[in-house]
Amino acid sequence: MNARLALQAIAQRALAQRDADRLRVAQELDAADELNHDGPKLIILIAKLNG
């Protein structure tokens, strides 16, 4: 039972981190979009997703 709870906690943290990363990328894209229009936004997105 404890192992199951530990795995659930790890999975929840991983999902929360994924969501935080997605939000951060979306916010950075919005900020970049304010400065530039569609072309550079795609380059930034690819760079962010590739780490």
Side-chain angles (χ1 to χ4, degrees):
M1 187 72 173
N2 287 337
R4 181 179 173 189
L5 292 175
L7 288 174
Q8 285 177 336
I10 291 168
Q12 287 175 345
R13 281 194 300 265
L15 290 174
Q17 183 62 51
R18 182 198 66 187
D19 291 343
D21 290 344
R22 286 181 176 176
L23 178 59
R24 179 185 49 78
V25 169
Q27 289 171 335
E28 289 176 8
L29 285 174
D30 286 343
D33 195 37
E34 289 179 15
L35 299 174
N36 302 300
H37 291 289
D38 297 328
K41 183 170 73 172
L42 182 58
I43 294 168
I44 292 169
L45 174 62
I46 292 168
K48 294 291 180 187
L49 293 176
N50 285 332

Short mmCIF file of all heavy atoms in Angstrom, two decimals:
data_model
loop_
_atom_site.label_atom_id
_atom_site.label_comp_id
_atom_site.label_asym_id
_atom_site.label_seq_id
_atom_site.Cartn_x
_atom_site.Cartn_y
_atom_site.Cartn_z
N MET A 1 0.83 -1.21 0.00
CA MET A 1 0.00 0.00 0.00
C MET A 1 0.87 1.26 0.00
O MET A 1 0.58 2.21 -0.70
CB MET A 1 -0.93 -0.02 1.21
CG MET A 1 -1.93 1.08 1.21
SD MET A 1 -3.21 0.82 -0.03
CE MET A 1 -4.31 2.13 0.35
N ASN A 2 1.93 1.27 0.82
CA ASN A 2 2.79 2.44 0.87
C ASN A 2 3.47 2.70 -0.46
O ASN A 2 3.66 3.84 -0.86
CB ASN A 2 3.84 2.29 1.98
CG ASN A 2 3.24 2.44 3.36
OD1 ASN A 2 2.19 3.04 3.50
ND2 ASN A 2 3.90 1.89 4.36
N ALA A 3 3.87 1.61 -1.14
CA ALA A 3 4.51 1.76 -2.46
C ALA A 3 3.52 2.36 -3.45
O ALA A 3 3.89 3.21 -4.26
CB ALA A 3 5.01 0.42 -2.97
N ARG A 4 2.28 1.95 -3.35
CA ARG A 4 1.25 2.50 -4.25
C ARG A 4 1.06 4.00 -4.00
O ARG A 4 0.97 4.79 -4.94
CB ARG A 4 -0.06 1.75 -4.05
CG ARG A 4 -1.16 2.23 -4.95
CD ARG A 4 -2.42 1.45 -4.75
NE ARG A 4 -3.50 2.06 -5.52
CZ ARG A 4 -4.74 1.71 -5.43
NH1 ARG A 4 -5.10 0.75 -4.61
NH2 ARG A 4 -5.66 2.32 -6.15
N LEU A 5 1.00 4.39 -2.75
CA LEU A 5 0.85 5.80 -2.41
C LEU A 5 2.06 6.60 -2.87
O LEU A 5 1.91 7.73 -3.35
CB LEU A 5 0.63 5.97 -0.91
CG LEU A 5 -0.70 5.45 -0.36
CD1 LEU A 5 -0.72 5.58 1.17
CD2 LEU A 5 -1.86 6.17 -0.98
N ALA A 6 3.23 6.02 -2.72
CA ALA A 6 4.45 6.71 -3.15
C ALA A 6 4.43 6.91 -4.67
O ALA A 6 4.78 7.98 -5.17
CB ALA A 6 5.68 5.91 -2.74
N LEU A 7 4.02 5.86 -5.41
CA LEU A 7 3.94 5.98 -6.86
C LEU A 7 2.89 7.01 -7.28
O LEU A 7 3.10 7.77 -8.23
CB LEU A 7 3.63 4.62 -7.49
CG LEU A 7 4.78 3.62 -7.48
CD1 LEU A 7 4.31 2.26 -8.01
CD2 LEU A 7 5.95 4.14 -8.29
N GLN A 8 1.78 7.05 -6.57
CA GLN A 8 0.75 8.05 -6.86
C GLN A 8 1.29 9.46 -6.63
O GLN A 8 1.03 10.37 -7.41
CB GLN A 8 -0.50 7.81 -6.02
CG GLN A 8 -1.32 6.64 -6.50
CD GLN A 8 -2.53 6.38 -5.61
OE1 GLN A 8 -2.54 6.75 -4.43
NE2 GLN A 8 -3.53 5.73 -6.16
N ALA A 9 2.03 9.63 -5.55
CA ALA A 9 2.59 10.95 -5.24
C ALA A 9 3.60 11.36 -6.31
O ALA A 9 3.61 12.51 -6.75
CB ALA A 9 3.25 10.93 -3.86
N ILE A 10 4.43 10.41 -6.74
CA ILE A 10 5.41 10.71 -7.80
C ILE A 10 4.69 11.09 -9.08
O ILE A 10 5.06 12.05 -9.76
CB ILE A 10 6.35 9.50 -8.02
CG1 ILE A 10 7.26 9.33 -6.79
CG2 ILE A 10 7.16 9.66 -9.28
CD1 ILE A 10 8.01 8.01 -6.77
N ALA A 11 3.66 10.34 -9.43
CA ALA A 11 2.90 10.63 -10.65
C ALA A 11 2.23 11.99 -10.57
O ALA A 11 2.23 12.75 -11.55
CB ALA A 11 1.86 9.54 -10.89
N GLN A 12 1.68 12.33 -9.42
CA GLN A 12 1.04 13.63 -9.26
C GLN A 12 2.04 14.76 -9.38
O GLN A 12 1.76 15.79 -10.00
CB GLN A 12 0.32 13.70 -7.91
CG GLN A 12 -0.95 12.87 -7.87
CD GLN A 12 -1.59 12.84 -6.49
OE1 GLN A 12 -0.97 13.21 -5.50
NE2 GLN A 12 -2.83 12.38 -6.44
N ARG A 13 3.23 14.58 -8.81
CA ARG A 13 4.27 15.61 -8.94
C ARG A 13 4.71 15.76 -10.39
O ARG A 13 4.94 16.87 -10.87
CB ARG A 13 5.47 15.28 -8.05
CG ARG A 13 5.25 15.63 -6.60
CD ARG A 13 6.54 15.61 -5.80
NE ARG A 13 7.18 14.30 -5.82
CZ ARG A 13 7.04 13.37 -4.89
NH1 ARG A 13 6.28 13.60 -3.86
NH2 ARG A 13 7.68 12.22 -5.00
N ALA A 14 4.83 14.63 -11.08
CA ALA A 14 5.24 14.67 -12.49
C ALA A 14 4.19 15.39 -13.33
O ALA A 14 4.54 16.20 -14.20
CB ALA A 14 5.48 13.26 -13.02
N LEU A 15 2.93 15.12 -13.07
CA LEU A 15 1.85 15.79 -13.82
C LEU A 15 1.82 17.28 -13.49
O LEU A 15 1.63 18.11 -14.39
CB LEU A 15 0.50 15.15 -13.51
CG LEU A 15 0.30 13.75 -14.08
CD1 LEU A 15 -1.02 13.17 -13.57
CD2 LEU A 15 0.32 13.78 -15.60
N ALA A 16 2.04 17.62 -12.24
CA ALA A 16 2.05 19.03 -11.85
C ALA A 16 3.22 19.75 -12.51
O ALA A 16 3.08 20.89 -12.99
CB ALA A 16 2.13 19.16 -10.33
N GLN A 17 4.38 19.10 -12.58
CA GLN A 17 5.54 19.71 -13.22
C GLN A 17 5.29 19.87 -14.72
O GLN A 17 5.64 20.90 -15.29
CB GLN A 17 6.79 18.85 -13.00
CG GLN A 17 8.05 19.46 -13.58
CD GLN A 17 8.38 20.80 -12.94
OE1 GLN A 17 8.43 20.90 -11.72
NE2 GLN A 17 8.61 21.81 -13.74
N ARG A 18 4.68 18.87 -15.34
CA ARG A 18 4.35 18.97 -16.77
C ARG A 18 3.41 20.14 -17.02
O ARG A 18 3.62 20.93 -17.95
CB ARG A 18 3.70 17.66 -17.24
CG ARG A 18 3.39 17.66 -18.74
CD ARG A 18 2.40 16.61 -19.11
NE ARG A 18 1.12 16.92 -18.48
CZ ARG A 18 0.08 16.11 -18.50
NH1 ARG A 18 0.15 14.94 -19.06
NH2 ARG A 18 -1.06 16.48 -17.93
N ASP A 19 2.39 20.27 -16.18
CA ASP A 19 1.45 21.37 -16.35
C ASP A 19 2.13 22.72 -16.14
O ASP A 19 1.87 23.68 -16.87
CB ASP A 19 0.27 21.22 -15.38
CG ASP A 19 -0.63 20.04 -15.73
OD1 ASP A 19 -0.54 19.53 -16.88
OD2 ASP A 19 -1.41 19.62 -14.86
N ALA A 20 3.03 22.79 -15.16
CA ALA A 20 3.77 24.03 -14.91
C ALA A 20 4.66 24.37 -16.10
O ALA A 20 4.76 25.53 -16.50
CB ALA A 20 4.59 23.91 -13.63
N ASP A 21 5.30 23.34 -16.66
CA ASP A 21 6.15 23.56 -17.83
C ASP A 21 5.34 24.06 -19.02
O ASP A 21 5.76 24.96 -19.74
CB ASP A 21 6.90 22.28 -18.21
CG ASP A 21 7.99 21.90 -17.21
OD1 ASP A 21 8.37 22.77 -16.40
OD2 ASP A 21 8.43 20.74 -17.25
N ARG A 22 4.18 23.45 -19.22
CA ARG A 22 3.32 23.87 -20.33
C ARG A 22 2.85 25.31 -20.14
O ARG A 22 2.81 26.08 -21.10
CB ARG A 22 2.11 22.94 -20.44
CG ARG A 22 2.44 21.60 -21.02
CD ARG A 22 1.20 20.75 -21.14
NE ARG A 22 1.51 19.48 -21.80
CZ ARG A 22 0.64 18.52 -21.96
NH1 ARG A 22 -0.61 18.66 -21.52
NH2 ARG A 22 0.97 17.41 -22.56
N LEU A 23 2.50 25.66 -18.92
CA LEU A 23 2.07 27.03 -18.64
C LEU A 23 3.21 28.01 -18.88
O LEU A 23 3.02 29.07 -19.48
CB LEU A 23 1.56 27.14 -17.20
CG LEU A 23 1.13 28.53 -16.75
CD1 LEU A 23 -0.01 29.06 -17.62
CD2 LEU A 23 0.71 28.49 -15.29
N ARG A 24 4.40 27.66 -18.43
CA ARG A 24 5.57 28.52 -18.61
C ARG A 24 5.85 28.75 -20.10
O ARG A 24 6.07 29.88 -20.54
CB ARG A 24 6.79 27.92 -17.94
CG ARG A 24 8.06 28.74 -18.09
CD ARG A 24 9.28 28.05 -17.50
NE ARG A 24 9.44 26.67 -17.91
CZ ARG A 24 9.94 26.28 -19.11
NH1 ARG A 24 10.31 27.16 -19.98
NH2 ARG A 24 10.05 25.00 -19.38
N VAL A 25 5.80 27.67 -20.87
CA VAL A 25 6.04 27.79 -22.31
C VAL A 25 4.96 28.66 -22.94
O VAL A 25 5.26 29.53 -23.77
CB VAL A 25 6.12 26.41 -22.99
CG1 VAL A 25 6.10 26.53 -24.50
CG2 VAL A 25 7.37 25.67 -22.54
N ALA A 26 3.71 28.45 -22.55
CA ALA A 26 2.62 29.26 -23.10
C ALA A 26 2.80 30.73 -22.76
O ALA A 26 2.59 31.60 -23.61
CB ALA A 26 1.27 28.75 -22.58
N GLN A 27 3.21 31.02 -21.53
CA GLN A 27 3.44 32.41 -21.13
C GLN A 27 4.60 33.02 -21.90
O GLN A 27 4.53 34.18 -22.31
CB GLN A 27 3.69 32.48 -19.63
CG GLN A 27 2.46 32.20 -18.81
CD GLN A 27 2.76 32.07 -17.33
OE1 GLN A 27 3.87 31.74 -16.93
NE2 GLN A 27 1.75 32.30 -16.50
N GLU A 28 5.65 32.24 -22.10
CA GLU A 28 6.79 32.75 -22.86
C GLU A 28 6.41 32.98 -24.32
O GLU A 28 6.86 33.96 -24.93
CB GLU A 28 7.97 31.79 -22.75
CG GLU A 28 8.58 31.80 -21.35
CD GLU A 28 9.70 30.79 -21.18
OE1 GLU A 28 10.11 30.17 -22.18
OE2 GLU A 28 10.16 30.63 -20.05
N LEU A 29 5.59 32.11 -24.86
CA LEU A 29 5.13 32.30 -26.24
C LEU A 29 4.27 33.56 -26.36
O LEU A 29 4.38 34.30 -27.33
CB LEU A 29 4.35 31.08 -26.72
CG LEU A 29 5.18 29.86 -27.05
CD1 LEU A 29 4.28 28.68 -27.36
CD2 LEU A 29 6.11 30.14 -28.21
N ASP A 30 3.40 33.76 -25.37
CA ASP A 30 2.57 34.97 -25.39
C ASP A 30 3.44 36.23 -25.34
O ASP A 30 3.19 37.20 -26.06
CB ASP A 30 1.59 34.97 -24.22
CG ASP A 30 0.45 33.99 -24.41
OD1 ASP A 30 0.22 33.55 -25.57
OD2 ASP A 30 -0.22 33.68 -23.41
N ALA A 31 4.47 36.20 -24.49
CA ALA A 31 5.36 37.35 -24.38
C ALA A 31 6.12 37.56 -25.69
O ALA A 31 6.26 38.70 -26.15
CB ALA A 31 6.33 37.15 -23.22
N ALA A 32 6.58 36.47 -26.29
CA ALA A 32 7.30 36.58 -27.56
C ALA A 32 6.37 37.06 -28.66
O ALA A 32 6.78 37.83 -29.54
CB ALA A 32 7.91 35.23 -27.94
N ASP A 33 5.13 36.64 -28.61
CA ASP A 33 4.17 37.02 -29.64
C ASP A 33 3.86 38.51 -29.57
O ASP A 33 3.54 39.13 -30.59
CB ASP A 33 2.89 36.19 -29.50
CG ASP A 33 2.03 36.28 -30.74
OD1 ASP A 33 2.59 36.31 -31.86
OD2 ASP A 33 0.80 36.32 -30.60
N GLU A 34 3.94 39.08 -28.39
CA GLU A 34 3.72 40.52 -28.27
C GLU A 34 4.82 41.30 -28.97
O GLU A 34 4.59 42.39 -29.48
CB GLU A 34 3.64 40.93 -26.80
CG GLU A 34 2.36 40.45 -26.12
CD GLU A 34 2.31 40.84 -24.67
OE1 GLU A 34 3.08 41.71 -24.24
OE2 GLU A 34 1.48 40.27 -23.94
N LEU A 35 6.03 40.76 -28.95
CA LEU A 35 7.16 41.43 -29.57
C LEU A 35 7.25 41.15 -31.07
O LEU A 35 7.64 42.01 -31.84
CB LEU A 35 8.47 40.99 -28.89
CG LEU A 35 8.57 41.32 -27.41
CD1 LEU A 35 9.84 40.71 -26.83
CD2 LEU A 35 8.54 42.82 -27.19
N ASN A 36 6.95 39.95 -31.44
CA ASN A 36 7.04 39.51 -32.83
C ASN A 36 5.76 38.81 -33.21
O ASN A 36 4.97 38.44 -32.36
CB ASN A 36 8.22 38.54 -33.01
CG ASN A 36 9.53 39.16 -32.59
OD1 ASN A 36 9.93 40.17 -33.12
ND2 ASN A 36 10.18 38.56 -31.61
N HIS A 37 5.61 38.56 -34.49
CA HIS A 37 4.41 37.83 -34.90
C HIS A 37 4.76 36.40 -35.25
O HIS A 37 5.78 35.89 -34.82
CB HIS A 37 3.68 38.60 -35.99
CG HIS A 37 3.07 39.87 -35.48
ND1 HIS A 37 1.99 39.90 -34.65
CD2 HIS A 37 3.45 41.15 -35.64
CE1 HIS A 37 1.70 41.14 -34.33
NE2 HIS A 37 2.58 41.94 -34.92
N ASP A 38 3.96 35.71 -35.99
CA ASP A 38 3.96 34.25 -36.09
C ASP A 38 5.29 33.55 -36.38
O ASP A 38 5.55 32.49 -35.81
CB ASP A 38 2.93 33.82 -37.12
CG ASP A 38 1.52 34.22 -36.71
OD1 ASP A 38 1.25 34.26 -35.50
OD2 ASP A 38 0.72 34.51 -37.59
N GLY A 39 6.15 34.05 -37.20
CA GLY A 39 7.38 33.34 -37.55
C GLY A 39 8.27 33.01 -36.38
O GLY A 39 8.56 31.85 -36.11
N PRO A 40 8.73 34.00 -35.63
CA PRO A 40 9.62 33.72 -34.49
C PRO A 40 8.95 32.89 -33.40
O PRO A 40 9.63 32.15 -32.69
CB PRO A 40 9.97 35.10 -33.97
CG PRO A 40 9.81 36.00 -35.16
CD PRO A 40 8.65 35.42 -35.91
N LYS A 41 7.65 32.99 -33.26
CA LYS A 41 6.94 32.22 -32.23
C LYS A 41 7.15 30.73 -32.44
O LYS A 41 7.38 29.98 -31.49
CB LYS A 41 5.46 32.57 -32.25
CG LYS A 41 4.66 31.87 -31.16
CD LYS A 41 3.25 32.41 -31.03
CE LYS A 41 2.41 31.97 -32.18
NZ LYS A 41 1.00 32.32 -32.02
N LEU A 42 7.09 30.27 -33.67
CA LEU A 42 7.28 28.86 -33.96
C LEU A 42 8.70 28.41 -33.61
O LEU A 42 8.90 27.35 -33.04
CB LEU A 42 6.98 28.57 -35.44
CG LEU A 42 7.09 27.13 -35.88
CD1 LEU A 42 6.16 26.25 -35.06
CD2 LEU A 42 6.77 27.00 -37.35
N ILE A 43 9.67 29.24 -33.91
CA ILE A 43 11.06 28.91 -33.59
C ILE A 43 11.23 28.80 -32.08
O ILE A 43 11.89 27.87 -31.59
CB ILE A 43 12.01 29.98 -34.18
CG1 ILE A 43 11.94 29.92 -35.71
CG2 ILE A 43 13.44 29.79 -33.68
CD1 ILE A 43 12.61 31.09 -36.39
N ILE A 44 10.65 29.71 -31.33
CA ILE A 44 10.74 29.67 -29.87
C ILE A 44 10.07 28.42 -29.33
O ILE A 44 10.59 27.75 -28.46
CB ILE A 44 10.14 30.95 -29.26
CG1 ILE A 44 11.01 32.15 -29.62
CG2 ILE A 44 9.99 30.81 -27.75
CD1 ILE A 44 10.37 33.48 -29.28
N LEU A 45 8.91 28.07 -29.86
CA LEU A 45 8.19 26.89 -29.41
C LEU A 45 9.03 25.64 -29.62
O LEU A 45 9.18 24.81 -28.72
CB LEU A 45 6.86 26.75 -30.15
CG LEU A 45 6.08 25.46 -29.88
CD1 LEU A 45 5.71 25.38 -28.41
CD2 LEU A 45 4.84 25.42 -30.75
N ILE A 46 9.63 25.51 -30.78
CA ILE A 46 10.45 24.34 -31.08
C ILE A 46 11.64 24.28 -30.13
O ILE A 46 11.97 23.22 -29.58
CB ILE A 46 10.90 24.35 -32.56
CG1 ILE A 46 9.69 24.14 -33.46
CG2 ILE A 46 11.96 23.28 -32.81
CD1 ILE A 46 9.96 24.41 -34.93
N ALA A 47 12.26 25.41 -29.89
CA ALA A 47 13.41 25.46 -28.99
C ALA A 47 13.00 25.07 -27.57
O ALA A 47 13.71 24.31 -26.90
CB ALA A 47 14.04 26.84 -29.00
N LYS A 48 11.87 25.54 -27.10
CA LYS A 48 11.42 25.24 -25.74
C LYS A 48 11.08 23.76 -25.62
O LYS A 48 11.38 23.13 -24.61
CB LYS A 48 10.18 26.08 -25.38
CG LYS A 48 10.45 27.54 -25.29
CD LYS A 48 11.32 27.87 -24.12
CE LYS A 48 11.56 29.36 -24.07
NZ LYS A 48 12.52 29.73 -23.06
N LEU A 49 10.43 23.20 -26.62
CA LEU A 49 10.04 21.80 -26.54
C LEU A 49 11.23 20.87 -26.65
O LEU A 49 11.21 19.77 -26.11
CB LEU A 49 9.01 21.48 -27.65
CG LEU A 49 7.66 22.17 -27.47
CD1 LEU A 49 6.76 21.87 -28.66
CD2 LEU A 49 6.99 21.77 -26.17
N ASN A 50 12.28 21.31 -27.29
CA ASN A 50 13.49 20.48 -27.41
C ASN A 50 14.40 20.61 -26.19
O ASN A 50 15.40 19.93 -26.09
CB ASN A 50 14.27 20.85 -28.68
CG ASN A 50 13.61 20.30 -29.91
OD1 ASN A 50 12.94 19.28 -29.86
ND2 ASN A 50 13.80 20.96 -31.03
N GLY A 51 14.03 21.51 -25.29
CA GLY A 51 14.79 21.65 -24.04
C GLY A 51 15.97 22.50 -24.23
O GLY A 51 16.92 22.57 -23.59
#
